[in-house]
Each structure stands twice: as structure tokens, then as C-alpha cells.
Amino acid sequence: MSTGEWVSTSMPYLTPREKGQPDAWGVEAAARGGRGRQRIVHAGEVAAPAEVAEFLGIAEGEDVVVRRRVMYLDDVPCELTDTYYPVDIARGTRLAGTAKIPGGAVSLLAELGHTGARVREDVIARMPSDEERDALGAGTDEPVLQLTRVTLDGHDRPIQVDRMVMPGHLQRLRYEIRIG
């Protein structure tokens, strides 16, 4: 692993945690000798963007709940994460607020009766928008990786869509797949 490169795996972010356990991002950062934190910049209902609506199986512009966060590693922004939920799952819950959720959002979803059983992830490289570039402190010639994760329950109903944007030169994504 080269200096400054971050290797990330998805599994810790998909598993409900016990109340009182630290969040997955903080644990991952600490295991690598860093300090991870997040800042929730917005939470509440918004009109679903086209891609999110498609993943959730709803009409474009239909209401969804979003939590927008900036992830920091040692106080440097390293990822922008927007997480979208169907309103019938998240409206009126802590998912729609800006307060930290004990045990994390995945644990709260499980408490609400919505446990992920299958995940689909798509990763693309692209140039960032001006807003993303500013938030990440990226140069004008630095591409980002965009990881879009759809979590489905045991009935194949989409319960969560995450869209993460991170500087491409600092990331390496690792996938481990059990066969059989």
C-alpha cells in the first residue's frame, strides 16, 4: 500500500452493530492508525434524483429521506456520502435527523425491521463537480471514484442507496467474495 492510499472494504458498513459500539468508519480509521469522523451536513426529505429513484424503484422526484455526510480522516475530508431511504422506512425516524445514531444507521434499520440481505455496488471514475472538488479539496485535474451501493432486504426490496464520492488517487476498494 503506497503512502496516503486507503484500502476500504464494504462489509463492516453493512453489518448492524450493538449499541455503544463505535461506528464502522471510526473503527476502520483507528485500525490503520488514523482518526475518522463524520459531519452530517443535511438530513431530511428531498425529491429523489433520477438514479436514486431508479435504484429504489420509485418515480423520479418522489420524496426520499437523505443523510448527507462529509467523512474525515485525521481532519481531512476524504469522502462525501449521501444515503437515501424510502420515506415509508425513514420518515419520522432518526434517519431523517442530523443527530448521530447510536450503533449506526444500519443498526437502526435492523431495529425498524429492515435488514440488508444483498448488496449491489457500482464503481465509476469521473471528474468531480465544482461542489465536490471544493468539499474534498481536490485539484482541477484529479478524478474521483463514485461508489453507489444499493442494499436490498430478503424480499429484494431496496431499503438504502449510498452514493460515495472520494478522491481517486487516495482510494483502493477491496472486494472479498465467498464462492459457494
Side-chain angles (χ1 to χ4, degrees):
M1 184 162 67
S2 66
T3 303
E5 182 181 80
W6 187 264
V7 179
S8 183
T9 60
S10 297
M11 194 56 71
Y13 299 94
L14 304 172
T15 308
R17 305 178 76 74
E18 297 292 324
K19 284 191 177 175
Q21 284 186 315
D23 65 81
W25 170 235
V27 170
E28 184 178 4
R32 290 178 166 74
R35 187 171 61 87
R37 68 177 179 88
Q38 58 181 298
R39 181 172 56 93
I40 300 169
V41 295
H42 175 81
E45 293 186 30
V46 297
E51 180 184 46
V52 171
E54 180 181 338
F55 288 137
L56 289 175
I58 62 175
E60 181 179 350
E62 192 173 318
D63 284 346
V64 292
V65 170
V66 67
R67 286 175 68 85
R68 290 197 167 105
R69 302 179 310 276
V70 179
M71 312 303 285
Y72 295 87
L73 178 61
D74 296 330
D75 294 323
V76 176
C78 61
E79 181 177 301
L80 308 175
T81 302
D82 292 352
T83 303
Y84 297 88
Y85 306 94
V87 291
D88 65 314
I89 290 175
R91 181 181 276 154
T93 72
R94 288 174 284 170
L95 295 169
T98 57
K100 190 168 182 162
I101 298 172
V106 171
S107 298
L108 177 57
L109 277 173
E111 284 177 34
L112 296 171
H114 303 283
T115 302
R118 187 166 63 93
V119 169
R120 183 175 57 238
E121 292 187 348
D122 292 295
V123 180
I124 62 170
R126 63 174 175 79
M127 295 308 290
S129 68
D130 290 341
E131 182 180 276
E132 291 166 335
R133 184 179 297 111
D134 290 345
L136 293 169
T140 56
D141 61 343
E142 295 178 30
V144 293
L145 291 180
Q146 177 182 300
L147 186 151
T148 303
R149 175 187 301 140
V150 181
T151 304
L152 302 111
D153 67 14
H155 302 287
D156 274 348
R157 178 187 181 201
I159 59 172
Q160 177 175 318
V161 174
D162 296 290
R163 183 176 158 240
M164 295 155 266
V165 176
M166 54 209 110
H169 71 286
L170 298 178
Q171 281 298 120
R172 179 174 59 171
L173 305 174
R174 173 173 290 150
Y175 293 91
E176 294 181 26
I177 300 169
R178 184 174 306 277
I179 300 172

